[in-house]
Amino acid sequence: MKIGKILGLTVLATLGLLVGGSQTTEASVYTFSVVPELPENQLAKKAGYFDLMVNPGATQDLKLKYTNNTDHAVTVNADVTTATTNGGGEVDYEGDQKKLDPTLTVKTQDMITVPQDVTLAARETKEVTAHVAVPQAGLTGISSGAFTFRDKDSQQHAQAASAGMAVKNVYAFQIAVLMRQQKDTPFTFNQIQRSGLQLHTVAAGQVNARNVIKANLQNPLAKYINDFTTVAIIKKADSDKTVLSQTNTDQQMAPNSNFDLAIAYANGAAMKPGKYVLDLTAYGQKDDQGGYQFTDAAKTTKFAHRWHFEKTFTITGSEATQYNKADFTVTKDAFNWWSLLAVLLAVLITVFWFILWKRRRDDEEESEQN
């Protein structure tokens, strides 16, 4: 079980979110638990999530066992979402569903319905049915999403508490749902090598009030990019000098998703306007027989795939000023008293020289008149 804090208010309990993983949870920690009853068409037989082999136009009921772990009634709220990739290079089942990737043709939530609210009496266990309807056109590759289950009363209390600036935890279970028509990927090696990763926009930005360069990476295919490593180098367009460099390892991208890879400035370093070039190399799918290798200080790793991109981008003066002001780590220019003193001294010398010159001239004019 992987637990992460969401927006400082929500604690998320995740079940089986990595492809091929098998995870369990300690139900007594939470007010309720949800256990999937794996059907006959389940591929990963011992997993804690659904991994279904389906056919075009097929319908199916999925069974979920809800259990109330408390001595009072609990209402379990459920919904279904499509997997995305977050800014940390992780598959996210609670990502913004309004900003799904344009290459996504079938959303998980459009294929699965589940009762929104189910009330359980104290210590009650109840079987709940979710319904799956695969489009007649079928699926290409993997459809990835998840059920999310929340304690409705705790959720409402947390929303009320957040309005009053208090902190309240909400516990939520997620159970991944993968669906496909064939076990092996339908994409050829050349397809993945040619189209399996795309670089789109590159621009200055911020993450958590820190200056970064954001490189938008897209996985346009209906497959996971596992063991994802990126090596980013940024240089001035007219120079070979490296301005920024960053390596990210052990990332993962969801099918048909995109995210902004954030290449961070060092603490205290200011963003400067100008034209730059991003040189980005990405590796995917660790493979001892792979044709590409990445070496860091610790070891050499072989990968099945490698992608390389170069893209020119510009940081404007107004962008640099705006982001440097907002980044609390940037060393702000201190007021230079020595420079001010030098300017004042120069002014005083000039004024003193002018007064002496004026007096000498007046004395000479007076002597001539006499």
Side-chain angles (χ1 to χ4, degrees):
M1 180 172 59
K2 180 171 63 178
I3 301 177
K5 182 152 287 184
I6 300 175
L7 301 179
L9 296 174
T10 305
V11 175
L12 172 65
T14 306
L15 295 182
L17 296 186
L18 297 180
V19 178
S22 176
Q23 303 185 18
T24 58
T25 184
E26 188 68 41
S28 61
V29 176
Y30 305 98
T31 58
F32 69 95
S33 63
V34 179
V35 176
E37 297 182 8
L38 304 182
E40 290 296 322
N41 58 329
Q42 171 82 9
L43 287 174
K45 300 298 184 181
K46 296 182 179 181
Y49 59 92
F50 292 107
D51 185 1
L52 309 175
M53 184 78 77
V54 297
N55 294 315
T59 61
Q60 179 177 357
D61 287 336
L62 300 179
K63 302 298 182 181
L64 298 157
K65 186 170 72 174
Y66 288 31
T67 299
N68 180 355
N69 301 317
T70 73
D71 293 323
H72 58 80
V74 169
T75 298
V76 178
N77 173 262
D79 63 13
V80 181
T81 55
T82 296
T84 62
T85 304
N86 65 28
E90 300 173 328
V91 176
D92 187 351
Y93 295 89
E94 284 206 332
D96 189 345
Q97 300 295 295
K98 296 180 180 179
K99 295 182 179 180
L100 295 175
D101 194 84
T103 64
L104 183 71
T105 57
V106 183
K107 301 176 183 177
T108 302
Q109 59 264 40
D110 291 341
M111 292 186 286
I112 302 176
T113 56
V114 62
Q116 186 175 20
D117 294 323
V118 173
T119 299
L120 304 172
R123 303 293 171 180
E124 181 184 10
T125 295
K126 182 182 294 186
E127 185 178 81
V128 177
T129 301
H131 186 70
V132 176
V134 181
Q136 289 293 337
L139 304 174
T140 300
I142 296 177
S143 171
S144 176
F147 293 100
T148 298
F149 307 95
R150 301 178 182 86
D151 183 327
K152 186 174 183 179
D153 292 336
S154 296
Q155 185 179 17
Q156 291 174 340
H157 293 158
Q159 291 171 346
S162 64
M165 300 305 289
V167 175
K168 180 77 174 181
N169 287 334
V170 178
Y171 295 100
F173 288 99
Q174 286 189 320
I175 299 177
V177 184
L178 309 183
M179 291 185 284
R180 64 187 97 188
Q181 289 178 205
Q182 58 190 89
K183 185 175 181 179
D184 298 323
T185 177
F187 306 106
T188 67
F189 176 87
N190 288 336
Q191 276 182 294
I192 298 170
Q193 195 63 41
R194 182 178 64 252
S195 308
L197 187 71
Q198 301 291 327
L199 171 66
H200 293 294
T201 58
V202 181
Q206 286 197 324
V207 174
N208 297 327
R210 290 287 309 279
N211 287 349
V212 300
I213 300 300
K214 292 182 177 181
N216 182 261
L217 292 171
Q218 180 194 45
N219 171 16
L221 301 181
K223 67 179 299 296
Y224 283 86
I225 300 181
N226 294 316
D227 310 316
F228 187 47
T229 290
T230 53
V231 181
I233 299 172
I234 295 176
K235 298 179 180 180
K236 289 292 293 288
D238 56 355
S239 172
D240 289 333
K241 183 179 179 180
T242 298
V243 177
L244 294 175
S245 64
Q246 182 173 294
T247 298
N248 295 72
T249 60
D250 299 320
Q251 301 173 103
Q252 186 186 37
M253 288 192 73
N256 300 110
S257 68
N258 71 85
F259 79 107
D260 288 331
L261 175 70
I263 306 159
Y265 283 76
N267 282 349
M271 184 181 290
K272 296 181 180 179
K275 183 176 287 188
Y276 297 85
V277 176
L278 168 66
D279 185 299
L280 179 72
T281 304
Y283 302 86
Q285 190 180 328
K286 292 179 182 178
D287 185 345
D288 290 339
Q289 305 302 316
Y292 304 102
Q293 64 181 32
F294 165 71
T295 302
D296 60 12
K299 61 180 180 178
T300 295
T301 305
K302 289 187 175 182
F303 292 88
H305 299 287
R306 182 181 67 186
W307 303 271
H308 180 257
F309 307 97
E310 283 190 7
K311 195 173 186 68
T312 301
F313 65 100
T314 300
I315 301 175
T316 66
S318 60
E319 286 176 326
T321 299
Q322 172 190 347
Y323 293 133
N324 287 335
K325 284 183 178 179
D327 188 335
F328 66 93
T329 71
V330 171
T331 302
K332 305 299 189 289
D333 293 332
F335 192 82
N336 195 328
W337 290 102
W338 288 109
S339 296
L340 177 61
L341 184 61
V343 171
L344 291 175
L345 184 59
V347 171
L348 288 173
I349 290 172
T350 301
V351 171
F352 183 68
W353 177 86
F354 178 78
I355 292 173
L356 290 178
W357 175 81
K358 185 72 168 59
R359 284 183 179 179
R360 179 177 295 178
R361 183 177 176 183
D362 290 344
D363 290 343
E364 289 176 352
E365 289 179 352
E366 186 176 347
S367 297
E368 291 174 358
Q369 291 175 0
N370 293 333

